[in-house]
Amino acid sequence: MKPRVLVAGIGNIFLGDDGFGIEVLKELEHVKLPDWVQIADYGISGTHLAYDLLGGYDTTILIDAAPRGDAPGTIYLLEADVEELSKSNLRPDAHGMQPDAVFRLLSMLGGDAGRVLVVGCEPATTGSGLGLSAAVEAAVPEAVRIVVELAWGMSSRLRSPEIPATPGALA
């Protein structure tokens, strides 16, 4: 059976660079991906994401702004510790996107997101306003490339436990 992968664009387009995940998703709509890869725009709807994850995925790839202190536009590929995130005390919010609350809700519902990877980008600004900063906009093609490479390489990686997670920034 082929693996099932969910690529989820998350973020708030009204908060500048927080809309990074949504912009990457828009570009992915024009790229050929394996038929077992589903892409979806979740925006700030964490509850929707949690319920969709109940369908069961081998891998979930979240695309989001990820402030970690590097230069704006820096792309990160991280593996999330879902077990740790699901221990959060945050309550799920139907109008918010807090990954720890999403995974806590998913755990409470008996679901499993599989392996969770995050393709993140260091934001320049997340204040009110539409559109990405120049540095983050310039990073969109790199994020698309990473997601495409992950998706096409996923079947072998899902079956190869010796391939480690890729923590930290890509440089």
Side-chain angles (χ1 to χ4, degrees):
M1 179 176 167
K2 290 185 178 178
R4 292 181 357 125
V5 176
L6 174 63
V7 178
I10 58 178
N12 187 333
I13 63 167
F14 298 108
L15 295 177
D17 291 341
D18 194 49
F20 172 76
I22 308 310
E23 292 302 317
V24 172
L25 205 68
K26 286 178 184 177
E27 294 301 316
L28 284 169
E29 290 174 353
H30 305 291
V31 174
K32 173 75 173 133
L33 293 170
D35 60 358
W36 38 265
V37 174
Q38 175 186 347
I39 64 171
D41 174 353
Y42 289 93
I44 59 169
S45 182
T47 302
H48 184 191
L49 174 58
Y51 279 109
D52 280 359
L53 287 171
L54 284 174
Y57 290 91
D58 295 320
T59 302
T60 301
I61 301 172
L62 303 176
I63 308 169
D64 196 10
R68 297 175 53 91
D70 286 312
T74 301
I75 297 291
Y76 306 103
L77 176 59
L78 310 165
E79 182 160 3
D81 183 346
V82 177
E83 186 176 323
E84 190 63 35
L85 285 173
S86 65
K87 294 177 184 176
S88 165
N89 290 327
L90 288 176
R91 294 183 197 190
D93 177 358
H95 304 289
M97 178 59 79
Q98 298 159 310
D100 39 359
V102 170
F103 293 114
R104 179 173 186 232
L105 175 59
L106 182 62
S107 177
M108 289 172 23
L109 294 171
D112 178 13
R115 183 178 187 196
V116 177
L117 302 173
V118 178
V119 176
C121 182
E122 185 72 41
T125 180
T126 54
S128 294
L130 289 170
L132 301 178
S133 66
V136 172
E137 186 173 336
V140 169
E142 177 66 6
V144 169
R145 183 192 65 75
I146 290 167
V147 172
V148 169
E149 285 183 8
L150 286 170
W152 282 105
M154 200 57 67
S155 61
S156 63
R157 289 180 183 195
L158 286 172
R159 293 180 179 83
S160 301
E162 69 277 3
I163 296 178
T166 308
L170 297 174

